[in-house]
């Protein structure tokens, strides 16, 4: 029997908008036939895709569960509360706000909640492995606030907690950020908490890169050390593009007001639903195995690259991410990343600590294992990948398009054996 109001109209994307549909299929084919080693990317499940691509996108819900500015929230309130409860459970926090549109708005909410323009923020500098929103100069966090930036030790490539402490004592920041985008080692949240306490700063842990590793039990949690924790949901956590900002109960009201109405309007309910699904998936026993495999894979890849003469910042990795200094290989990051893409291996060029080159053409390459691990790859495949990476970089140096093409064929054959979750 046909419903008078069919819930899902019988018009597929390919019929309605063939141009866009074709582009979508091409992107799907690209994701299937190439391997993403970008450490901030992942492949979400069909379940996350279903929630994210749902009719929840139709609803306005400014406000929070139980207190909205639009009617019709009977179901949306339950969805958002489910996501909140799951975030609180998985990260053992007192409060979670699942509405920030992404990582940068989540971090901006922290400033909006607790700082006045001109107050001092201290974070890791972007070229050293931090994030734009930790006070880097081109971000408003570096121009509307007084920003001081720490880095890593030149010899070890690791955060030097004594240096951070000395800088904090001198600069007396009101807000201290830890976490970043190119940190291959464990973050010592207890050490940061001690420093924040000594200088009476508010500590914010940005766990965007490692949230899935924390959920999976392979990276220590900042809970109990950092009263504020922000994360994106689409990296190792393997959810939709979105973010969560978490805090102690005491700080929750200010933080919520900063997200809405301070910075944002209506939450993206379809994303909230996708976040709820990914948090459910991250609470399952198999996600622990995934997180363990992400780290094992990164460590094998790091060892194999080291054996081939690649210089890794800090000498290796404790997590999902590897930062390579290509200087000794005689190739710049951009050229290497472009050649690797031609060879079917998608990476990003990246600054390295104390990089003499400019950010748009830096000396480094950043790679990571969350996405290939989601495809089911293990240590054996990482050994093959290291060899392909080396082959592609050497081919780039010889400017051999033919050799890059031959590697691309091998990568495509490998990729087919490990279909990306969420794609047909
Ligand atoms: N752009 C993200 C990354 O790639 O790490 C950080 O926001």
């Amino acid at each position: 029997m046909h419903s008078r109001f069919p819930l899902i109209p019988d018009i597929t994307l390919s019929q309605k908008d063939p141009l866009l549909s074709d582009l979508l299929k091409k992107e799907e084919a690209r994701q299937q036939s190439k391997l993403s080693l970008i450490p901030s990317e992942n492949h979400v499940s069909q379940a996350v895709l279903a929630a994210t691509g749902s009719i929840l996108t139709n609803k306005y819900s400014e406000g929070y569960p139980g207190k909205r500015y639009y009617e019709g929230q009977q179901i949306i309130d339950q969805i958002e509360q489910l996501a909140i409860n799951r975030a609180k459970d998985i990260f053992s926090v007192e409060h979670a706000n699942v509405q920030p549109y992404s990582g940068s708005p989540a971090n901006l909410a922290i400033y909006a909640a607790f700082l006045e323009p001109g107050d001092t923020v201290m974070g890791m500098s972007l070229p050293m492995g931090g994030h734009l929103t930790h006070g880097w100069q081109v971000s408003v966090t570096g121009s509307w606030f007084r920003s001081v930036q720490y880095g890593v030790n030149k010899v070890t490539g690791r955060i030097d907690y004594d240096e951070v402490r000395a800088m904090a004592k001198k600069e007396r920041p009101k807000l201290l950020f830890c976490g970043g985008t190119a940190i291959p080692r464990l973050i010592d949240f207890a050490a940061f908490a001690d420093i924040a306490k000594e200088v009476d700063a508010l500590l914010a842990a940005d766990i965007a890169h490692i949230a899935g590793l924390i959920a999976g039990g392979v990276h220590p949690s900042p809970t109990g050390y950092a009263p504020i924790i922000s994360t994106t949901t689409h990296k190792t956590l393997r959810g939709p593009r979105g973010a969560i900002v978490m805090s102690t109960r005491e700080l929750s009201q200010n933080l919520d007001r900063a997200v809405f109405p301070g910075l944002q309007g209506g939450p993206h309910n379809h994303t909230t639903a996708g976040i709820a699904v990914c948090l459910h998936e991250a609470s399952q026993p198999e996600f622990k195995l995934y997180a363990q495999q992400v780290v094992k894979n990164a460590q094998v890849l790091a060892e194999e690259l080291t054996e081939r003469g690649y210089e890794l910042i800090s000498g290796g990795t404790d997590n999902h991410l590897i930062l390579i200094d290509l200087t000794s290989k005689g190739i710049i990051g951009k050229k290497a990343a472009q050649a690797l893409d031609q060879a079917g291996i998608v990476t990003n060029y990246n600054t390295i600590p104390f990089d003499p080159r400019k950010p748009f053409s830096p000396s480094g390459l950043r790679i990571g294992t969350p996405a290939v691990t989601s495809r089911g790859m293990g240590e054996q495949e990482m050994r093959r990948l290291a060899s392909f990476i080396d082959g592609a970089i050497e081919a780039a140096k010889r400017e051999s398009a033919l050799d890059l093409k031959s590697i691309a064929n091998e990568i495509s054959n490998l990729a087919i054996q490990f279909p990306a979750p969420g794609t047909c």
Side-chain angles (χ1 to χ4, degrees):
M1 200 175 94
H2 289 288
S3 152
R4 202 169 142 224
F5 300 109
L7 284 177
I8 302 177
D10 187 24
I11 300 170
T12 62
L13 184 58
S14 60
Q15 288 168 307
K16 186 84 180 164
D17 189 343
L19 188 59
L20 190 282
S21 170
D22 186 46
L23 289 171
L24 195 60
K25 281 183 195 142
K26 282 181 176 153
E27 172 59 11
E28 188 172 327
R30 186 198 68 81
Q31 290 191 17
Q32 276 290 17
S33 62
K34 290 187 171 190
L35 295 177
S36 173
L37 283 182
I38 293 178
S40 48
E41 289 186 0
N42 213 329
H43 297 285
V44 299
S45 66
Q46 285 281 2
V48 168
L49 278 180
T52 311
S54 69
I55 46 82
L56 296 169
T57 194
N58 299 340
K59 189 76 197 95
Y60 249 120
S61 313
E62 288 182 8
Y64 289 104
K67 192 179 175 216
R68 305 280 190 184
Y69 292 80
Y70 293 75
E71 292 308 312
Q73 310 296 344
Q74 295 84 352
I75 311 300
I76 298 293
D77 274 5
Q78 293 179 58
I79 291 171
E80 187 169 333
Q81 196 56 55
L82 189 61
I84 291 169
N85 293 346
R86 287 176 176 173
K88 283 165 67 175
D89 280 353
I90 213 160
F91 294 108
S92 305
V93 290
E94 290 175 350
H95 178 72
N97 185 316
V98 295
Q99 292 194 7
Y101 298 144
S102 203
S104 295
N107 285 346
L108 284 179
I110 300 170
Y111 289 79
F114 305 109
L115 265 61
E116 295 294 331
D119 281 348
T120 302
V121 58
M122 182 167 150
M124 192 177 211
S125 86
L126 183 67
M128 291 280 185
H131 188 256
L132 276 168
T133 56
H134 298 179
W136 186 238
Q137 64 229 12
V138 298
S139 150
V140 295
T141 62
S143 54
W144 292 356
F145 302 90
R146 179 181 167 265
S147 163
V148 288
Q149 303 264 274
Y150 60 87
V152 294
N153 181 279
K154 202 164 187 172
V155 178
T156 64
R158 296 174 186 240
I159 295 169
D160 181 328
Y161 293 91
D162 290 334
E163 276 177 22
V164 176
R165 175 177 283 101
M167 184 182 282
K169 280 187 164 167
K170 180 166 171 267
E171 306 289 352
R172 311 296 299 187
K174 193 164 174 187
L175 176 64
L176 174 61
F177 260 105
C178 58
T181 61
I183 305 173
R185 295 297 181 178
L186 295 184
I187 298 167
D188 187 343
F189 295 117
F192 272 109
D194 282 345
I195 295 167
K197 197 169 169 204
E198 278 178 49
V199 301
D200 200 22
L202 191 56
L203 179 63
D206 180 343
I207 59 166
H209 263 259
I210 52 174
L213 304 185
I214 292 168
V218 294
H219 191 294
S221 168
T223 303
Y225 296 111
I228 303 172
I229 301 169
S230 68
T231 185
T232 49
T233 46
H234 46 269
K235 298 187 176 92
T236 49
L237 198 52
R238 216 166 54 182
R241 305 197 81 81
I244 310 175
V245 61
M246 299 169 269
S247 73
T248 56
R249 199 169 290 110
E250 195 192 349
L251 303 179
S252 62
Q253 222 181 16
N254 278 12
L255 209 48
D256 281 354
R257 280 196 194 125
V259 174
F260 171 83
L263 288 167
Q264 297 188 175
H268 294 176
N269 296 312
H270 53 301
T271 303
T272 306
I275 291 174
V277 176
C278 89
L279 291 170
H280 175 66
E281 290 178 352
S283 69
Q284 303 303 304
E286 52 269 29
F287 195 83
K288 284 197 166 39
L289 300 179
Y290 165 69
Q292 287 163 11
Q293 193 63 51
V294 165
V295 176
K296 262 191 231 164
N297 281 352
Q299 289 176 339
V300 169
L301 197 50
E303 279 164 25
E304 294 282 326
L305 289 170
T306 305
E307 275 175 26
R308 288 170 174 81
Y310 288 85
E311 276 182 34
L312 310 188
I313 301 301
S314 84
T317 181
D318 296 329
N319 54 32
H320 63 300
L321 181 152
I322 298 162
L323 188 58
I324 308 170
D325 177 356
L326 289 170
T327 313
S328 65
K329 286 285 178 182
I331 184 166
I332 59 170
K334 197 171 194 169
K335 192 167 177 193
Q338 285 168 345
L340 284 164
D341 190 37
Q342 269 179 270
I345 301 169
V346 190
T347 64
N348 70 275
Y349 53 88
N350 215 92
T351 51
I352 52 165
F354 308 98
D355 203 328
R357 299 182 59 83
K358 295 233 177 328
F360 200 58
S361 181
S363 306
L365 189 72
R366 190 183 68 150
I367 60 174
T369 53
V372 286
T373 309
S374 287
R375 297 178 82 129
M377 291 190 177
E379 290 104 301
Q380 203 183 325
E381 287 72 38
M382 295 307 111
R383 290 189 190 99
R384 291 190 69 192
L385 265 180
S387 158
F388 288 136
I389 290 170
D390 187 37
I393 286 176
E394 290 305 321
K397 284 158 67 177
R398 293 192 303 276
E399 308 216 330
S400 170
L402 210 61
D403 288 352
L404 291 176
K405 178 86 189 108
S406 145
I407 296 172
N409 286 338
E410 297 212 53
I411 290 290
S412 177
N413 289 338
L414 180 64
I416 284 163
Q417 293 165 46
F418 295 89
T423 55
C424 301

